[in-house]
């Protein structure tokens, strides 16, 4: 399989526009845009074709998507990513006796490498613009939800056609600009991933939630994993017979790292940004969605903290979910603070008002674009009305394990009986296996008291809902259990009588017909059945919204290009992107300056006896004896720990390789600064900074703390003394 | 009254030692030490005699002690200090209708100036070493408490003799080096102080407890007051007939302020430092006293917050006490953090061990000093045993208003019947008036529910005490009220039946004999009577401890001078001191640098709608229109708000004038950085930094925000535009 040649690229460029993009360092560039960037002028010292060129073993083939990002660092499928990216898999592999989360893990031999359950690795093989194909299915008379369904259907067809002609690969069509452009990506999916080396949590998660989204940072947030394939080199599920994957390209590590002002670039899979969205969207986020999520996640964390306070097994079970909730919560808190500080909505409104003035001044523009902004505003205005009820429905499904099991079983029984292309995506033949596996994996971290408390809390929230936005389907439940006490009893009975906690029972249920499932009489299935119309309603509402917004955003994009006389790059959407910048400090506020490199001395400054600052004593001893090996930076007289740079990243860039001007690995991206959480809505040269663990710290920990000689040898950096 | 001449100085130097002091910028220099400092070489551009010289109207005559410090800035007794120093007086003058705390206050004319209740201003007139005189009363056979009493008595006699020969002045003997040196200071006490101008709390206390003890800072922590005297120029109580005090010297304000690296010096009344204390003292502080106070103050603040949550009148009543508790609590938290970070106790122990080695190596030294350190350690070891009970006794008296009233009435009835020189200091004729006034002033902020809760909590703590350290005198009470409920009922009855809340009743009580007071049957008096022996015991224990420690510390001082081959300056003790340094930033931790000047832009960065960050909108408007008048610093293109410098300060230096190389006022000291809270135990050039409000901000707020034209004219800076 090859990267598509010029015609495909041309198509894509045609859609995205051909002029240069705006801000010098803003941007997560799709591969299709790279040729427009003069990276040599920015500081790149290798040919840009080294990064990506058709038919060449470019750097992009060293990049894997593992939810977040990783990069191959050896010919034998070894890749590096973040500790927090492997966290769930390490947690799943840990027991109280073998607590790899707490103690770290280093495989002595390949045979000792542990399966990283739930992890897959995706490699981008090719891409092609399919905008005309996708948008070709639309016609003027379509209702809004119908419009969305037609696009979804066409995309499914394109994917099916592609996967048919390229067996063993996975195809995905990604919407680049909302309602305007669609790109078909073809991926290799590796399914046998194993844990090779993770430092103890006291290094890999040093600073924990306190330091999360913060600079200065001192976290050794790295892990090494290995991808395996079937003996014939094709992707395969875990099997002892599998052999290491042979990537077309792997990154060379430069153990000398970088220094202040050095050029760096990153490749990775940034998740979502919303820079092309409107003030009304941002106001919706600022006033409704984010505050709701912050409050709700906070509640759930409190419930979990409470449950795990006196039981390490429970704490271990809940660790990954708590980490994920806390991470989002703090990110949103940072965003909310940033939005207020920058008066972002107000500023966006000002820009939109000016653009509206430009439209009004020209009758032709007015006819074409006059109502775009008000139409978008209206859609977000309507979303506000049903918001509270929708949150309850969403979190019932995503936050309550038992309800999620029941819901998935019921929906699967209905969806899997439809023709494949008409199913909702998780139930299509190509996805159903993974959906089912994820569901069963979620069972591992199920803990009834927390699940029950979350369920109860959501029912209470549902009961408090007022029109518009009430969930009428629950009226009967609340009539039957009017008091808190009776509702408590209902919840208690539900958990006492459900059998969904039994894996084989759940497995069996996933094969049954809707009527068989309903006949089983499970209380959660009964609730899922009661709510089924409400969820259908919600889905229709969401598709109709997308049907309304997509063409409006497409128009808005056209208009903005006209108005500003320039083109843009699309918001991040979990597809492969390049971003670049320099190692640079910043000022987070009046009279404060943050330098862009931290040191081992800083780790020890923060060290206490208590997590998350409980540095292993061995680290302190090594620092005391100044045993820095080859990893000290002369200017600091110390081992650099983390680095800061002004490249443009977001969630999904976790684990992205930070490369120097010669394309050598010098760091592993893992976070942004608190001020840069706002990146997703607005980027600024002043405060948008991302954070990597310095490769010198990675190697120093591996060599001096873990004695990982075999690993260092595989990395081409044999340990020496 | 004149400053004492050479012979007195000579005596003092003889005691303190004649060689130069150690660290270049450490030190709060007593006036007697100034001549040893080459301030010209440090950067001073005026003759050192301008600061202090016998018989000249030196700068020290511009300095007043108001608990903290202030400095005269006009010939008419106008002085500047901190907002937080005047806070209690402004609170006392405020009502819900005239809330000067919230809205600020500016007297339109002198007649409008408001009495600053509870405030006095003290000016240092002269000083003289009296060590030989004081220590002359000791003889070898004395018991420990007897030793302390003998010194106290001799000091009282010296004070009485001095005040007799200098009518209208107040004399005080201050212990400089523990057990080694004593200096007699003569002061003028001004008793009619009035509020002239305070900014609103949203400026004067901007950042509140969140920013307290922190840099970067953006607080306009200043206030202007005026001292008045009787028409004949002598100190007098408040009277409309009084006239402005005419200071011998006042400070010239330099409206151009300072810049980074500029030399500055401060004069003021730093309270207490403990740099000459031992590891055992510091361990006692770190392990026992400070954690106890942090916890206990936190509890009291929580009680008060709760009480004031829904009632602004109550919140206003409690504001000053809460502020003071929170201030100490955060200071201690900073100290505790610093002690851990620096491993201070361990370090001190190391130093002491090395010194002990030096002693052991020389038989003569061993004979003289061999047991000094272990003897000191033993005393602190014994203090640990009775610690918990002593805390309860202390906080009953200082934290429960009703008990304090009862206790003071009872103790006064006993003490005031003794010959004057035998009384405890607060009850001596020269102090009794002030003691009584303070007591009556405390009534203004009395709020029963909080007082009751604090009382109850202390009783519960007393009940939990175990031997050693139980308060046996309370056994009976607990026997009579064994359950929580019964104790509650006792507390409720006490508050229901006491009449101490009635001012005239309390006034009457303060004149009665012990028997009359006991006969009144007040429940709090009964409790005070029950506890009287326990308090006598406590006092004896404290005097015995001082009797033990004083000569040991005197020996330790001798020893240290021998061992290190240098002399020291005495710890701060609320007497007039000079300290100097430069405007300098610092690094509070790895990869962070703090610049030494903040700006108005920084105020607005922090501004929200909620206290303590609710900047008045007018300030934002002025900044938006860049209406900086003559107060902008070109390099910042903004008005500087606060400045940072490496001079050596502690509590009591609040309000100290920060002067430039020419002795002109450029700022008003109000705080230290969080890292510098540890100053009281150890000073470091790296992190010991103090904070002042920049005079440019003071003047800008006065001119642009408050339109205080008359004030500016009096300051010699007529408003212009």
């Amino acid at each position: 399989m090859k990267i598509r040649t010029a015609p495909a690229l041309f198509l894509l460029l045609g859609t995205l526009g051909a002029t240069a993009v705006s801000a010098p360092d803003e941007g997560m560039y799709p591969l299709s845009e790279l040729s427009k960037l003069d990276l040599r002028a920015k500081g790149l010292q290798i040919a840009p074709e080294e990064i990506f060129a058709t038919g060449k073993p470019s750097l992009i083939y060293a990049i894997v998507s593992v939810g977040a990002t990783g990069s191959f660092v050896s010919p034998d499928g070894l890749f590096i990513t973040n500790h927090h990216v492997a966290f769930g898999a390490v947690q799943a592999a840990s027991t109280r006796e073998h607590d790899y989360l707490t103690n770290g893990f280093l495989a002595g031999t390949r045979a000792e490498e542990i399966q990283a359950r739930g992890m897959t690795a995706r490699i981008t093989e090719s891409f092609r613009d399919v905008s005309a194909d996708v948008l070709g299915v639309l016609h003027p008379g379509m209702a809004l939800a119908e419009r969305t369904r037609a696009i979804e259907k066409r995309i499914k067809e394109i994917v099916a056609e592609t996967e048919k002609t390229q067996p063993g690969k996975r195809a995905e069509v990604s919407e680049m600009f909302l309602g305007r452009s669609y790109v078909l990506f073809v991926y290799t999916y590796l399914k046998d991933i194993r844990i090779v080396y993770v430092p103890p949590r006291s290094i890999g998660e040093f600073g924990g939630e306190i330091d999360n989204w913060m600079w200065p940072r001192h976290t050794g947030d790295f892990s090494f994993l290995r991808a395996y394939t079937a003996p014939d080199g094709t992707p395969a599920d875990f099997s002892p017979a599998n052999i290491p994957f042979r990537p077309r390209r792997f990154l060379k590590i430069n153990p000398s790292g970088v220094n202040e002002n050095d050029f760096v670039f990153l490749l990775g899979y940034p998740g979502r940004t919303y820079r092309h969205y409107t003030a009304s969207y941002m106001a919706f986020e600022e006033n409704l969605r984010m505050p709701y999520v912050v409050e709700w996640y906070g509640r759930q964390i409190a419930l979990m903290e409470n449950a795990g306070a006196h039981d390490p097994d429970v704490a271990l079970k809940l660790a990954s979910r708590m980490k994920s909730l806390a991470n989002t919560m703090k990110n949103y808190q940072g965003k909310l603070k940033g939005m207020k500080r920058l008066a972002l909505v107000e500023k966006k409104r000002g820009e939109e008002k000016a653009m509206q003035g430009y439209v009004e001044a020209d009758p032709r523009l007015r006819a074409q674009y006059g109502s775009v902004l008000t139409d978008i505003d209206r859609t977000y205005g309507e979303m506000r009305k049903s918001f509270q009820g929708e949150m309850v429905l969403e979190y019932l499904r995503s936050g309550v394990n038992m309800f999620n099991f029941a819901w998935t079983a019921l929906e699967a029984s209905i969806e899997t009986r439809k023709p494949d292309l008409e199913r909702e995506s998780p139930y299509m033949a190509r996805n159903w296996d993974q959906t089912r596996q994820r569901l069963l994996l979620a069972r591992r971290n199920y803990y009834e008291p927390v699940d029950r408390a979350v369920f109860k809390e959501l029912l209470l929230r549902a009961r408090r809902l007022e029109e518009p936005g009430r969930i009428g389907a629950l009226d009967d439940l609340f009539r039957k259990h009017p008091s808190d006490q009776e509702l408590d009893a209902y919840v208690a009975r539900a958990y006492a009588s459900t059998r969904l906690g039994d894996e084989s029972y759940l497995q069996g249920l996933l094969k049954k017909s809707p009527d068989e499932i309903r006949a089983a009489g499970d209380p959660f299935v009964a609730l899922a059945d009661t709510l089924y119309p409400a969820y259908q309603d919600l889905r229709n509402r969401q598709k109709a919204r997308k049907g309304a917004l997509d063409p409006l955003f497409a128009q808005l994009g056209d208009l903005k290009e006209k108005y500003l006389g320039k083109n843009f790059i699309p918001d991040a959407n979990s597809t492969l992107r390049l971003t670049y910048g320099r190692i640079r400090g910043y000022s987070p506020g009046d009279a404060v300056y943050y330098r862009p490199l931290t040191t081992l001395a800083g780790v020890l400054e923060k060290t206490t006896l208590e997590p998350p600052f409980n540095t292993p004593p061995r680290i302190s001893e090594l620092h005391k004896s100044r045993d820095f090996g080859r990893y000290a930076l002369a200017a600091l007289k110390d081992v650099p720990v983390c680095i800061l740079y002004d490249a443009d990243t977001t969630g999904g860039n976790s684990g992205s390789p930070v490369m120097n001007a010669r394309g050598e690995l010098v760091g592993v991206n893992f976070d942004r600064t608190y001020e840069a959480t706002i990146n997703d809505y607005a980027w600024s040269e002043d405060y948008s900074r991302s954070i990597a663990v310095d490769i010198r710290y990675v190697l120093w920990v591996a060599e001096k703390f873990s004695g990982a000689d075999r690993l260092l040898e595989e990395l081409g950096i044999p340990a020496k003394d």
Side-chain angles (χ1 to χ4, degrees), chain A residues 19-285:
Chain A
T19 60
V21 292
S22 55
D25 291 320
E26 173 171 8
M28 301 166 183
Y29 292 81
L31 298 183
S32 57
E33 304 289 297
L34 295 188
S35 58
K36 285 188 286 179
L37 265 174
D38 188 356
L39 283 173
R40 294 299 292 245
K42 308 286 183 190
L44 188 71
Q45 290 171 17
I46 54 175
E49 294 73 33
E50 281 283 311
I51 297 171
F52 166 61
T54 305
K56 284 198 178 168
S58 326
L59 288 177
I60 69 147
Y61 293 112
I63 311 304
V64 288
S65 165
V66 286
T69 305
S71 60
F72 291 112
V73 285
S74 98
D76 289 329
L78 184 72
F79 66 89
I80 189 168
T81 182
N82 294 142
H83 182 272
H84 79 261
V85 170
F87 189 95
V90 176
Q91 179 195 3
S94 289
T95 60
R96 218 167 157 177
E97 291 70 43
H98 298 283
D99 187 349
Y100 303 131
L101 213 48
T102 301
N103 306 317
F105 173 78
L106 174 63
T109 64
R110 288 210 180 144
E112 285 177 27
E113 294 171 4
I114 311 171
Q115 191 185 358
R117 288 188 57 168
M119 285 188 85
T120 57
R122 185 176 79 173
I123 301 158
T124 299
E125 297 291 347
S126 70
F127 61 91
R128 178 165 64 88
D129 185 78
V130 292
S131 307
D133 189 347
V134 169
L135 294 170
V137 301
L138 300 179
H139 53 81
M142 279 176 154
L144 295 174
E146 190 189 349
R147 196 182 185 286
T148 304
R149 288 214 168 77
I151 289 177
E152 283 175 1
K153 180 147 180 280
R154 183 60 202 134
I155 286 175
K156 286 176 190 168
E157 289 163 358
I158 295 172
V159 166
E161 289 154 18
T162 310
E163 291 185 350
K164 210 162 128 192
T165 61
Q166 301 181 42
K169 303 292 174 202
R170 303 255 309 170
E172 267 176 41
V173 172
S174 298
E175 185 175 29
M176 305 305 283
F177 282 110
L178 287 186
R180 271 170 104 196
S181 58
Y182 300 84
V183 171
L184 167 68
F185 289 89
V186 178
Y187 298 104
T188 294
Y189 255 85
L190 303 171
K191 293 181 284 183
D192 182 357
I193 310 297
R194 305 187 196 171
I195 304 166
V196 178
Y197 170 45
V198 289
R201 194 171 181 176
S202 53
I203 292 175
E205 205 191 22
F206 182 80
E209 282 313 315
I210 298 170
D211 276 9
N212 193 14
W213 302 110
M214 293 286 181
W215 184 261
R217 198 60 160 280
H218 299 87
T219 314
D221 195 352
F222 68 87
S223 63
F224 287 89
L225 299 111
R226 194 186 304 280
Y228 282 78
T229 64
D232 66 357
T234 60
D237 287 327
F238 174 81
S239 159
N242 285 350
I243 60 163
F245 172 69
R246 306 282 302 180
R248 236 171 304 173
R249 177 81 186 246
F250 66 89
L251 301 186
K252 188 174 173 300
I253 286 177
N254 187 329
S256 301
V258 275
N259 214 330
E260 192 158 356
N261 291 320
D262 282 0
F263 171 85
V264 290
F265 70 101
L266 291 81
L267 288 164
Y269 289 89
R272 293 292 293 130
T273 57
Y274 305 90
R275 297 188 194 147
H276 294 313
Y277 283 58
T278 59
S280 48
Y281 166 78
M282 291 185 192
F284 178 81
E285 288 286 296

Side-chain angles (χ1 to χ4, degrees), chain A residues 199-507:
Chain A
R201 194 171 181 176
S202 53
I203 292 175
E205 205 191 22
F206 182 80
E209 282 313 315
I210 298 170
D211 276 9
N212 193 14
W213 302 110
M214 293 286 181
W215 184 261
R217 198 60 160 280
H218 299 87
T219 314
D221 195 352
F222 68 87
S223 63
F224 287 89
L225 299 111
R226 194 186 304 280
Y228 282 78
T229 64
D232 66 357
T234 60
D237 287 327
F238 174 81
S239 159
N242 285 350
I243 60 163
F245 172 69
R246 306 282 302 180
R248 236 171 304 173
R249 177 81 186 246
F250 66 89
L251 301 186
K252 188 174 173 300
I253 286 177
N254 187 329
S256 301
V258 275
N259 214 330
E260 192 158 356
N261 291 320
D262 282 0
F263 171 85
V264 290
F265 70 101
L266 291 81
L267 288 164
Y269 289 89
R272 293 292 293 130
T273 57
Y274 305 90
R275 297 188 194 147
H276 294 313
Y277 283 58
T278 59
S280 48
Y281 166 78
M282 291 185 192
F284 178 81
E285 288 286 296
E286 182 175 356
N287 304 329
L288 266 78
R289 200 181 69 84
M290 286 201 289
Y292 190 100
V293 171
V294 165
E295 187 275 334
W296 173 234
Y297 283 19
R299 277 284 292 152
Q300 287 185 82
I301 290 167
L303 288 171
M304 293 184 198
E305 265 171 359
N306 201 27
H310 300 294
D311 187 337
D313 286 335
V314 172
L316 193 62
K317 246 179 204 284
L318 299 172
S320 185
R321 253 169 91 196
M322 281 175 70
K323 190 176 160 79
S324 156
L325 292 171
N327 184 53
T328 301
M329 188 171 78
K330 195 165 178 187
N331 175 294
Y332 282 15
Q333 285 167 330
K335 280 182 172 131
L336 286 168
K337 200 174 157 188
M339 283 173 119
K340 281 193 183 62
R341 184 167 50 90
L342 304 174
L344 198 61
V345 168
E346 201 183 320
K347 220 170 96 188
K348 270 261 172 192
R349 280 230 167 88
E351 288 167 14
E352 288 171 6
K353 206 176 152 190
M355 187 163 73
Q356 189 67 29
Y358 160 81
V359 170
E360 302 286 350
D362 179 335
R364 268 182 326 143
L365 285 176
R366 191 168 56 213
Q368 199 175 353
Y369 300 110
S371 68
V372 169
L373 279 166
T374 49
D375 289 350
I376 292 176
D377 291 356
R378 190 170 45 246
T379 308
Y380 286 111
E382 270 157 27
M383 278 170 68
R384 287 171 175 260
K385 292 181 199 159
S386 47
F387 171 75
Q388 298 283 342
E390 291 185 8
M391 284 290 103
V392 171
L393 286 173
E394 294 286 15
Y395 285 120
L396 261 178
R397 214 155 45 172
S398 67
V400 181
N401 278 139
M402 281 300 138
F403 186 76
N404 182 25
F405 297 159
W407 171 261
T408 308
L410 180 67
E411 189 174 45
S413 74
I414 296 165
E415 290 291 321
T416 55
R417 274 151 190 82
K418 295 181 184 170
D420 199 53
L421 286 181
E422 286 172 25
R423 298 178 195 171
E424 289 301 322
S425 169
Y427 306 102
M428 291 174 72
R430 60 194 285 281
N431 297 326
W432 176 224
D433 237 29
Q434 210 189 0
T435 303
R436 204 162 37 200
Q437 268 171 36
R438 279 199 190 140
L439 198 70
L440 296 175
L441 206 61
R443 280 191 62 265
R444 287 183 65 106
N445 300 325
Y446 171 70
Y447 182 61
E448 190 190 301
V450 167
D451 208 54
R452 209 163 138 160
V454 171
F455 182 49
K456 170 79 191 301
E457 170 80 24
L458 285 167
L459 288 180
L460 289 177
R461 284 178 191 222
R463 200 175 61 180
R464 280 200 300 272
L465 291 172
E466 288 174 15
E467 288 297 0
R470 276 187 59 253
I471 306 168
L474 289 176
D475 286 355
D476 218 42
L477 177 75
F478 295 137
R479 243 195 312 273
K480 277 187 199 149
H481 310 89
S483 73
D484 277 23
Q485 223 174 348
E486 284 158 303
L487 206 58
D488 260 341
Y490 161 75
V491 171
R493 273 198 310 275
Y495 279 89
S497 64
T498 185
R499 294 178 61 195
L500 294 167
D502 175 345
E503 176 161 350
S504 60
Y505 181 81
L506 179 58
Q507 291 260 32

Side-chain angles (χ1 to χ4, degrees), chain A residues 197 199-204 206 218-220 222 599-608 613-628 638-641 696-707:
Chain A
Y197 170 45
R201 194 171 181 176
S202 53
I203 292 175
F206 182 80
H218 299 87
T219 314
F222 68 87
T599 64
L600 199 45
V603 174
L604 299 174
E605 254 178 37
K606 286 182 180 172
T607 295
T608 64
F613 296 108
N614 54 332
T615 305
R618 174 89 186 116
I619 296 280
S620 312
E621 287 158 24
L622 287 165
H623 187 256
K624 216 173 237 172
S625 62
R626 311 193 63 75
D627 189 359
F628 302 150
D638 203 346
V639 178
V641 172
R696 289 165 286 202
Y697 189 53
V698 174
L699 298 172
W700 183 81
V701 169
E703 179 176 333
K704 300 289 181 178
F705 176 78
S706 300

